[in-house]
Amino acid sequence: MNPPSSVLIAGASAAGLGTAESLRRKGYRGKITVLGAEPHAPYDRPPLSKQVLAGAWEPERARLRPRDALDALDAAFLLGDPAVALDAAARTVRTATGARPRTLPGQDGLAGGSVHTLRSLDDAAALRADLLTATRAVAVGDGVLGAEIAATARTMGVDVTLAGPQPAPMAAQFGPRVAELLAAVHAEQGVTLRLGTAACGLTGHGGRVSGVRLADGEVLPADVAVIAVGATPETGWLTGSGLTLDNGVVCDAYCRAADGIYAVGDVARWHHTGIGALLRLENRTNAVEQAAAVAGNILGEEKPYTPVPYFWTDQFDAKIHVHGQPSPDAEVAVVEGAVEDRRFVAQYRRRGRITGVLGWNIPKQTRLTARGCLAGHAGLPTPGTAPRGPALVALRASPSYRWEVPPALSSRGLRATAPDAAR
Amino acid sequence: MKITVDEAKCCAAGQCVLIAPEVFDQRDEDGIVLLLDAEPAEEQHAAVREAAAVCPTAAIHLSGTA
Ligand SMILES: Cc1cc2nc3c(=O)[nH]c(=O)nc-3n(C[C@H](O)[C@H](O)[C@H](O)COP(=O)(O)OP(=O)(O)OC[C@H]3O[C@@H](n4cnc5c(N)ncnc54)[C@H](O)[C@@H]3O)c2cc1C
Ligand code: SF4
């Protein structure tokens, strides 16, 4: 297959930039254009809830690449101007448009009134400015982003409450044992945990937020609220393009959404042949690894993309690294270190298979353990056996950066590769 | 090629070690990147470029073209 004469990339963040870089690294000499909705040069999102929010870094430090490295790419960056439609006949487009935060009922009416979501550099600056004068902040969402924001706000000295429906932060990802330890860390550091009840709305006064309303009727007083209840893939601009949009841009095993059109990063929901299901990941390593896979496939490598998912999170002094899928109902065995020491590697086993490895303040050993027991997990398939067309499987939207295949997968006319068989 | 790493950015993911184990390692205690060879030989360059590209915190900087 001849490489295309030009590649147009929509989205100028980790996945978009990663694709451009991988194309050049693999020797592509054609024209590359990168469209970005935001005016900023490509920057990184994980520091937004950590170092940038805390004020430990100037925002410029979150830039993905220095100027000279961007120049050396020889790509045209058209920033501050979003793509508004896709003409599927224009070939070799890559969409890397990411995701946008979900909101609570009533949130729009209070926008600008100390109610925040956190996705962009501008969001981080606005939230930080409000936290600096906050008397009481509420972080809504007990997933990874809400928990990180609560931790960072607390480190800034803010009186903060973390609210969400789970019994402990991140319980749906980590299971009770590890999530309880995380809850203990937050409580020790002075975060008020108001868990077990979902938030259902906001109260306001004079256009500013005054509280967060919970499903049981209680109102948590707040002069700053951050809503971190997951993200929706940014696909509105693709409506009517002919692509299959269903919790992301639905792609085949090669991350191809249609002939000459690929999706990568948070926006892409592709067929992972190792687990036999569609998967959408919202994590930072996926953005660049998938970018490399897509660049290869644009250039004719024809390799299915079958990663072992990985993400990390920093909350207070806990640095948590997660490989694979540590499901909440798995058996958890500590294989190195000790939970009491807050330094351990835990293996998650479900139906006799190790599905995930989680490390708490012990990243190197965690990686080595994961490598030893998860390598076959992605079930590296033989090229050519993957289905070529987009396969339709109903998957729940993944709240914040995690991956998830529901236990009962309702497949709509899909070749019956049961995901459980692969786990 | 000359490599520098920003330890304060590194999140200890270890992707670099997986891709270019002769050039990168991680500290045992906190997993932060250890640069084993700041000016690696030619045959390492492709792996080092890949490591710099996939590093999830953009902590690896390369300078020099050769
Ligand atoms: C606050 C925060 C903290 C995080 N922390 C971690 C972490 O600790 N560990 C981890 O593994 N992951 C983390 N993540 C997740 C990680 O940052 C994402 O998975 C990653 O950014 C995905 O990259 P992407 O390029 O696919 O999407 P994005 O980074 O969302 O980039 C998409 C880009 O496309 C642009 N765009 C949207 N629509 C259009 C359009 N129509 N035309 C042109 N451009 C458009 C957007 O403006 C955006 O710049 C975090 C995310 C956030 C928000
Ligand atoms: S890949 Fe990047 S973040 Fe990970 S250990 Fe290496 S330098 Fe650190």
Side-chain angles (χ1 to χ4, degrees):
Chain A
M1 188 188 109
N2 287 329
S5 60
S6 69
V7 177
L8 176 66
I9 300 173
S13 187
L17 176 66
T19 309
E21 287 187 342
S22 288
L23 281 168
R24 290 291 186 235
R25 214 177 53 248
K26 290 174 189 279
Y28 179 65
R29 293 271 146 264
K31 189 174 163 206
I32 300 179
T33 308
V34 185
L35 307 178
E38 297 177 73
H40 308 287
Y43 64 89
D44 212 5
R45 282 174 218 282
L48 300 183
S49 52
K50 308 175 183 72
Q51 299 92 335
V52 173
L53 185 59
W57 289 7
E58 290 300 321
E60 293 72 58
R61 190 116 201 249
R63 280 187 126 203
L64 278 167
R65 298 285 179 250
R67 219 241 104 101
D68 55 342
L70 288 183
D71 290 346
L73 255 187
D74 187 23
F77 284 87
L78 305 180
L79 302 176
D81 200 6
V84 290
L86 172 73
D87 172 1
R91 299 281 289 281
T92 308
V93 180
R94 289 237 318 54
T95 92
T97 46
R100 75 162 67 199
R102 290 202 200 99
T103 54
L104 281 188
Q107 186 170 338
D108 291 347
L110 293 167
S114 307
V115 179
H116 297 264
T117 51
L118 178 55
R119 182 82 200 173
S120 69
L121 202 50
D122 298 345
D123 295 341
L127 175 58
R128 176 169 165 75
D130 267 354
L131 285 176
L132 286 173
T133 56
T135 49
R136 213 163 339 171
V138 175
V140 177
D142 47 16
V144 59
L145 189 55
E148 268 190 15
I149 293 168
T152 304
R154 187 67 205 120
T155 327
M156 294 168 71
V158 178
D159 180 352
V160 53
T161 300
L162 178 61
Q166 307 182 71
M170 304 190 70
Q173 282 118 310
F174 294 169
R177 191 165 169 198
V178 175
E180 275 158 26
L181 178 61
L182 190 59
V185 170
H186 277 259
E188 279 161 22
Q189 298 285 341
V191 174
T192 305
L193 297 173
R194 182 63 177 82
L195 299 171
T197 314
C200 60
L202 297 160
T203 59
H205 189 75
R208 292 189 68 83
V209 68
S210 60
V212 172
R213 193 193 308 278
L214 303 184
D216 61 8
E218 187 181 339
V219 174
L220 305 174
D223 55 1
V224 175
V226 196
I227 315 302
V229 293
T232 317
E234 193 76 76
T235 53
W237 68 285
L238 294 169
T239 309
S241 63
L243 300 185
T244 309
L245 306 177
D246 179 13
N247 180 24
V249 178
V250 176
C251 299
D252 67 8
Y254 306 89
C255 310
R256 186 161 32 220
D259 206 13
I261 301 173
Y262 297 78
V264 60
D266 285 12
V267 79
R269 185 153 163 249
W270 88 105
H271 184 93
H272 188 307
T273 52
I275 61 163
L278 285 175
L279 192 62
R280 188 171 72 80
L281 296 175
E282 289 183 24
N283 63 52
R284 182 57 177 80
T285 31
N286 178 61
V288 270
E289 288 176 2
Q290 194 168 22
V294 162
N297 288 338
I298 290 174
L299 301 177
E301 282 177 16
E302 291 292 304
K303 274 201 212 126
Y305 176 56
T306 56
V308 175
Y310 160 82
F311 77 90
W312 81 98
T313 174
D314 300 343
Q315 299 175 33
F316 299 109
D317 56 2
K319 309 234 178 287
I320 304 170
H321 293 254
V322 184
H323 301 257
Q325 186 193 34
S327 57
D329 56 348
E331 284 165 51
V332 179
V334 172
V335 294
E336 189 160 346
V339 175
E340 306 77 69
D341 298 340
R342 299 196 178 178
R343 184 171 156 86
F344 62 90
V345 181
Q347 261 177 356
Y348 286 68
R349 188 184 290 272
R350 196 164 169 268
R351 296 195 192 151
R353 286 186 58 130
I354 297 167
T355 61
V357 172
L358 178 146
W360 189 294
N361 284 337
I362 186 166
K364 181 176 180 181
Q365 295 80 348
T366 306
R367 178 177 60 78
L368 292 172
T369 306
R371 197 184 183 188
C373 66
L374 288 178
H377 166 68
L380 300 173
T382 27
T385 60
R388 297 299 296 264
L392 275 178
V393 184
L395 272 182
R396 251 189 294 151
S398 42
S400 65
Y401 46 102
R402 51 186 290 203
W403 73 325
E404 178 182 48
V405 183
L409 200 88
S410 63
S411 49
R412 290 192 254 132
L414 175 84
R415 28 183 305 133
T417 15
D420 279 345
R423 287 201 284 158
Chain B
M1 172 188 281
K2 190 158 172 14
I3 309 173
T4 50
V5 292
D6 186 338
E7 289 186 9
K9 278 193 166 180
C10 171
C11 76
Q15 307 297 102
C16 55
V17 191
L18 275 177
I19 296 166
E22 291 175 32
V23 180
F24 303 100
D25 197 358
Q26 289 176 278
R27 296 202 292 243
D28 287 336
E29 61 283 15
D30 58 8
I32 298 300
V33 61
L34 276 173
L35 188 54
L36 303 177
D37 186 352
E39 291 181 42
E42 179 91 43
E43 65 266 22
Q44 295 291 335
H45 288 189
V48 169
R49 282 204 185 89
E50 189 183 341
V54 304
C55 167
T57 60
I60 302 171
H61 294 281
L62 307 180
S63 53
T65 41

